Amino acid sequence: MKKLIREIPLANGLTVRFFDATRRYFGDYHQVRINICCEVPLSADLFEDAAAHRDAAKLLGGSVSYSKDIEHQGVATDDIPGTVEKVIQHFVDHSLSYLSGSEFPRKLVQSELKRILGKRKAFVVGGYRG
């Protein structure tokens, strides 16, 4: 079960959320897993025109999600809080500035569109070879 442990509002209007999904797997050993999420709503200003926005919304729905899992194995019970804090701080120090950028929402949405459209093309091109 994931538990929300921190939210960081960003300058570009988005919010990064950190969820703790740590679990014990043997004796006093735990798998510390932090899930980092950021939801980007599909707003019209991310697209060149209303038609592009409408087409993207048909494919993607109302939003696109950034999600990253960071795991550490073999963490003793007493070390869990410190490990969780180190994971969050490392992400803040090394990745938060990218997510905070004004271009991040557009880049994430465009990347997801390319991924979805690429899957469709691969399916159509590969086709049935019965």
Side-chain angles (χ1 to χ4, degrees):
M1 186 167 132
K2 296 190 317 183
K3 174 184 165 191
L4 178 64
I5 54 174
R6 188 159 311 156
E7 290 185 329
I8 300 176
L10 304 177
N12 59 10
L14 302 176
T15 300
V16 175
R17 291 178 175 84
F18 296 84
F19 295 91
D20 188 350
T22 297
R23 67 179 185 87
R24 185 177 68 82
Y25 63 88
F26 179 77
D28 190 41
Y29 296 105
H30 296 76
Q31 175 193 54
V32 171
R33 178 185 291 165
I34 304 301
N35 175 251
I36 304 162
C37 299
C38 185
E39 195 81 15
V40 176
L42 253 60
S43 58
D45 63 322
L46 297 177
F47 301 92
E48 292 181 21
D49 55 40
H53 178 233
R54 188 174 48 253
D55 292 344
K58 286 179 185 175
L59 287 172
L60 302 173
S63 66
V64 174
S65 294
Y66 167 88
S67 181
K68 179 178 182 81
D69 287 324
I70 300 174
E71 298 178 359
H72 288 269
Q73 302 288 344
V75 178
T77 302
D78 292 344
D79 296 333
I80 291 173
T83 301
V84 167
E85 196 53 43
K86 283 179 189 175
V87 167
I88 293 171
Q89 193 58 51
H90 186 269
F91 185 85
V92 167
D93 292 345
H94 297 282
S95 301
L96 201 64
S97 62
Y98 177 70
L99 273 67
S100 296
S102 61
E103 287 300 309
F104 172 73
R106 184 183 318 277
K107 287 180 181 180
L108 182 67
V109 168
Q110 293 303 319
S111 173
E112 189 65 10
L113 277 171
K114 284 180 186 175
R115 187 183 71 77
I116 296 288
L117 292 172
K119 282 184 177 181
R120 284 186 166 194
K121 286 179 185 175
F123 180 74
V124 171
V125 171
Y128 176 74
R129 300 174 193 241

